Amino acid sequence: MDLGTRALVLGIGSLAISWVPVLNIIAFLAGLMAVAFGLLARWPTGWLANEESNPRRALAGVVLGGIALVVFLVTAVRYSAL
């Protein structure tokens, strides 16, 4: 599995569980990993140059991971105020 696919899977998973109050901590970590893997997959040079990467999946993973991070912050603030 290439880094773009890993970023997409982590982005989808983190967005799916970022709404749950206790599991959103795991979603935060998965969202960070999705953004990191997606950015690494789109990086054109270095040790990743020989690995086939899907830039569209990587970009989707970065976007979904970023949205999951925002949802985590909103839900963390909302549930801490209760």
Side-chain angles (χ1 to χ4, degrees):
M1 186 180 333
D2 65 337
L3 288 176
T5 305
R6 289 178 192 166
L8 182 62
V9 168
L10 283 170
I12 291 171
S14 64
L15 187 60
I17 65 171
S18 63
W19 304 92
V20 182
V22 176
L23 293 179
N24 64 357
I25 297 168
I26 297 168
F28 175 74
L29 296 174
L32 284 177
M33 288 177 20
V35 170
F37 285 163
L39 292 177
L40 281 174
R42 294 188 56 90
W43 200 264
T45 60
W47 57 274
L48 297 171
N50 59 359
E51 182 178 321
E52 286 294 322
S53 180
N54 191 338
R56 287 184 177 174
R57 287 183 185 171
L59 181 62
V62 169
V63 169
L64 291 174
I67 292 171
L69 293 176
V70 170
V71 170
F72 164 77
L73 290 174
V74 169
T75 57
V77 168
R78 175 71 178 118
Y79 289 125
S80 67
L82 292 178

